[in-house]
Amino acid sequence: MYGAVLDAEGSRIEVGEAAVICENAVLRGSAVAGDQPVLVGDHVFVGPHATLLGCEVARCVYVATTATVLQSARLGAGSVVAVGALVHARAVVPDEYFVPPHNVALDAPVRLLAPGDPGLAEAIRQVGFAQAAFGVDAEWTDRISRYEHVAEVRVAEFGAHADDEAVNPG
């Protein structure tokens, strides 16, 4: 639909039969931390403003408005990621599993943490997101260094498009 962004960035994006990618959704593959395609199965609904980054979505999955699925995560057949929920990097959501609104799904086997859960920051630290998403190894407590390296990786990745030309801009 209008405004959806499908960006393979050196990897690939596959969208199955009868799948719906709603307005302003973002599907972005990457190759900066290994090949991380976005694979969307048949009969999947990706809601408005949802984000899928380098993940695998099995058939008949519902990803609701503003939901996010991060790198190397997998959503099982018939699962639901409700409004505003986050499936963190490397998480594995089983078939027909429901991730409630605004919750964070982590790990394999999956576990859920609600916003404000006192263990959320530590659980996210253990995921190793910068490594999973960008191939950056930096200490959790050294946020400045970590995000400096992440920005450099993204600048190099997106900088490959500096000389791109719009095809049929009209």
Side-chain angles (χ1 to χ4, degrees):
M1 298 180 115
Y2 175 83
V5 174
L6 283 69
D7 181 3
E9 286 304 328
S11 184
R12 70 188 190 286
I13 296 174
E14 297 177 11
V15 177
E17 181 181 323
V20 176
I21 311 300
C22 286
E23 59 276 6
N24 301 309
V26 174
L27 283 63
R28 180 168 284 129
S30 179
V32 298
D35 190 29
Q36 295 177 330
V38 176
L39 306 175
V40 176
D42 297 340
H43 301 91
V44 168
F45 181 87
V46 179
H49 302 277
T51 302
L52 304 178
L53 304 176
C55 60
E56 183 177 339
V57 180
R59 65 184 310 276
C60 301
V61 169
Y62 183 85
V63 180
T65 301
T66 69
T68 300
V69 183
L70 296 179
Q71 289 85 350
S72 300
R74 293 191 325 247
L75 304 180
S79 60
V80 173
V81 182
V83 172
L86 168 64
V87 177
H88 220 293
R90 301 183 180 122
V92 177
V93 174
D95 292 352
E96 300 187 27
Y97 191 88
F98 181 78
V99 179
H102 307 290
N103 275 244
V104 179
L106 300 134
D107 304 325
V110 72
R111 64 186 175 123
L112 297 174
L113 294 175
D117 185 302
L120 186 57
E122 176 58 23
I124 290 172
R125 182 194 69 75
Q126 291 177 0
V127 167
F129 174 71
Q131 176 62 38
F134 310 111
V136 170
D137 254 339
E139 290 298 319
W140 173 256
T141 54
D142 188 1
R143 289 182 179 91
I144 291 173
S145 176
R146 185 171 69 238
Y147 292 118
E148 179 179 58
H149 292 297
V150 165
E152 289 170 354
V153 166
R154 296 312 285 212
V155 164
E157 182 179 26
F158 296 143
H161 299 288
D163 296 325
D164 287 0
E165 294 182 32
V167 177
N168 191 14

